Amino acid sequence: MKKKDEAKIEEAAYYLEAVQRLMDRIQHKVELKEQLKLSLLGGAIRYDKDPIQGSIASDKLGDIMCEVADMENDIDGMLIRLQKIRARELKKIDRLPDLNERVVLKRLYLDLEDIWTVKEHLGFHLHSVYRIRKRGLLNYYNLYLDKRLKKK
C-alpha cells in the first residue's frame, strides 16, 4: 500500500476514533464525580466535638454538591454529543459500498469492539479483518474526508 494511502487510513481512523476519545472523557468525568460524591460521606463517625481528620467542613458541602451537579450536567451534555457523533458516523458508514467494510467499521469504531470479537463475528481470519478495515477506512476517507479537506 502506498504511503499516501497509509496517511489517509490513519487520518480516517483518527476521525472515527472520536467516539472512543469522547467515551474516555465521559468515563473520566464519571469517575471524578463519584470521587466527589464519596468525599461527601466524610471520613468517620464522631462522638465528640473534636474535629476528625478527613471530615468535611459544613461550609464546603454546598460547594461540593454544586460541583457534583455541574459534573452531572457536563456528563449529560457529553452523552448527547456522543449520540450525535455516533448517529452522524453511522449514517456515513452505512453509505460505504461493501457490507463487510460497513460491519467492521461499525463494530470497531462505533460499538467499540476489539478486533478479535469482530473476527469471531464475521468468521474471517484476523488478517482478512485487518485488510477489510484498511480498505473500509480508505473508502471512508475518499468519500467524506477528501471532499471536506478540498473545500478548505
Side-chain angles (χ1 to χ4, degrees), residues 101-117:
E101 291 174 8
R102 291 194 305 262
V103 170
V104 168
L105 292 183
K106 279 182 200 175
R107 287 181 165 260
L108 287 175
Y109 294 103
L110 300 181
D111 298 338
L112 304 177
E113 293 180 0
D114 62 23
I115 196 84
W116 293 98
T117 307

Side-chain angles (χ1 to χ4, degrees), residues 131-148:
R131 187 176 35 79
I132 292 167
R133 176 189 157 270
K134 278 185 172 184
R135 198 175 58 227
L137 288 171
L138 187 59
N139 287 333
Y140 179 91
Y141 181 91
N142 290 333
L143 283 173
Y144 302 109
L145 298 180
D146 196 34
K147 294 174 185 174
R148 183 179 58 88

Side-chain angles (χ1 to χ4, degrees), residues 4 43 46 52 70-71 87 96 105 117 122 127 144 148:
K4 191 174 184 180
R46 74 178 153 171
I52 295 177
D70 288 344
M71 286 183 142
L96 292 174
L105 292 183
T117 307
L122 291 175
H127 177 73
Y144 302 109
R148 183 179 58 88

